[in-house]
Each structure stands twice: as structure tokens, then as C-alpha cells.
Amino acid sequence: AQSVAQPEDQVNVAEGNPLTVKCTYSVSGNPYLFWYVQYPNRGLQFLLKYITGDNLVKGSYGFEAEFNKSQTSFHLKKPSALVSDSALYFCAVRDRDNFNKFYFGSGTKLNVKP
Amino acid sequence: DVKVTQSSRYLVKRTGEKVFLECVQDMDHENMFWYRQDPGLGLRLIYFSYDVKMKEKGDIPEGYSVSREKKERFSLILESASTNQTSMYLCASTPQTGGPYEQYFGPGTRLTVT
């Protein structure tokens, strides 16, 4: 079965420290990979995506993500966390063959403490 | 910028009522989606539509129906609301079928059924 896993319900990090939010997937073929952020009582906002090519993808607000094909992972990273980065983060995968299928992880709550 | 709007941010309905949730996008997108979001479960697809009057069931269509009479508008209908349909409902759209397009989300409707 196709699935996306975010193994951590919550990640805590101090402001100024690097952060990583993990995502692994089990989707056939070479899917498109996405990260979204959700602030309280809001919809999801697109951060970045991987299509092909360079394994390190840069996105909005200083976020980047590293694609690892052999580990089927797409971890979200930021070199220096801000308190304003505190939010809920979702990893999503779009099946290239069944293109209207998006698979979402369960979300990871990022807490950045001053 | 693409804008996806939802008719209500918060809604309180009684058990057994028929409920309409409206979603409008302003960028001529072909595909539209309805999800529900529950803590720890991520986003679950209820229905999607790839064209006017066309729809396909998602993962959890029971108790819901949809309508797409115009390209820009996608409505979710709860035929007889029940308490287990209390949730956050998110509408999304993408430009066209296929391709590495991210989804654009509306702000969400938090529905409470009492």
C-alpha cells in the first residue's frame, strides 16, 4: 500500500539551532515530493517540492529538503530555526502514474523555543 | 497568486442537518479536492474532481457527496450530518491533470456537529 510516514509527532528545537523534520515514503515509481506548512486554524501552504535532479531542494522561508532515493526519504531541514517556524508540517507524495493521488503524512508539530 | 476560498471558517450544525461547504478557486484550475483533517491522521481525501460535472471518490466518501457545476466551484455536501463528521475540512486545487503541480489550499472550514 502507498504510504507516507512522519515518524515524529513533535520536534522541539531551540531558536538558532538547525532543525530536521523527517519523512519517508512507500510509493511506487518516481513520485513527486512536497512539503507543506500549516499555521493554527489555517490551510496548508506550499514550501517546496522535488521533481528530479539535484537531491537538495530549496524552498520558502529558508527551508530546504534532502531527497534520498535509496532510503525513500525526503527530510525537511533549516540551518537556523526561528520561533516563527513553529507550526505543523506535512510531507506529501504525488504518484506520477496515478496523478490525482496525493498521499500525506500525519504531520509533525515543530516547536521552536526562544 | 492563486486564491482558494471557502465559504465559512467555522460552522456549527445539528445532527441530521444537510450541510453545504463551498470552495471557489480563481485560477482556472482543472482539479479540485476535498479533504478532512483530524489530529494524528493527516489529510484524508473525500472526493476529487478533474473537470466540470466529473468526480471520483477518495478514501473516505461515505456520508458525503460533491457537486461541480462550474469549473471554479466545488461543493461538499453532508447529506445528514453526524457527530463523527466534526472535523476540519480543506479544499485544494491543482492546475491540470498530471505534472509536478503542488496543491493550493483554502483556509479550511472547522465544522462542529452537535
Side-chain angles (χ1 to χ4, degrees), chain A residues 45-64:
Chain A
Q45 295 178 30
F46 168 73
L47 277 180
L48 50 79
K49 64 184 173 186
Y50 174 81
I51 303 170
T52 188
D54 194 347
N55 290 344
L56 188 65
V57 178
K58 294 190 183 298
S60 306
Y61 313 120
F63 283 93
E64 55 192 29

Side-chain angles (χ1 to χ4, degrees), chain A residues 32 34 36 38 40-46 49-51 88 90 94 99-102 104-107, chain B residues 9-10 31 33 35 37 40 42-43 48 59 90 94 96-103 105-107 110:
Chain A
Y32 304 120
F34 304 85
Y36 293 87
Q38 185 181 35
N41 295 313
R42 298 289 185 92
L44 277 65
Q45 295 178 30
F46 168 73
K49 64 184 173 186
Y50 174 81
I51 303 170
L88 188 57
F90 287 96
R94 188 176 195 184
F99 32 71
N100 281 319
K101 281 287 193 180
F102 286 83
F104 284 84
S106 55
Chain B
R9 294 297 305 277
Y10 300 93
N31 299 342
F33 305 77
Y35 293 92
Q37 179 184 7
L43 275 67
F48 72 88
D59 300 317
L90 293 169
T94 59
Q96 63 189 65
T97 302
Y101 301 106
E102 63 271 21
Q103 290 177 305
F105 284 85
R110 188 166 293 281

Side-chain angles (χ1 to χ4, degrees), chain A residues 13 16 19 30 39 51-52 55-56 63 67-68 72 83 94 103:
Chain A
V13 65
L19 70 88
N30 297 306
Y39 297 100
I51 303 170
T52 188
N55 290 344
L56 188 65
F63 283 93
F67 169 64
N68 187 316
T72 60
V83 172
R94 188 176 195 184
Y103 303 93

Side-chain angles (χ1 to χ4, degrees), chain B residues 11-27:
Chain B
L11 210 52
V12 179
K13 295 292 181 180
R14 294 188 182 274
T15 301
E17 279 193 81
K18 192 168 186 175
V19 181
F20 293 86
L21 303 182
E22 303 283 337
C23 175
V24 178
Q25 49 91 7
D26 66 357
M27 284 299 290

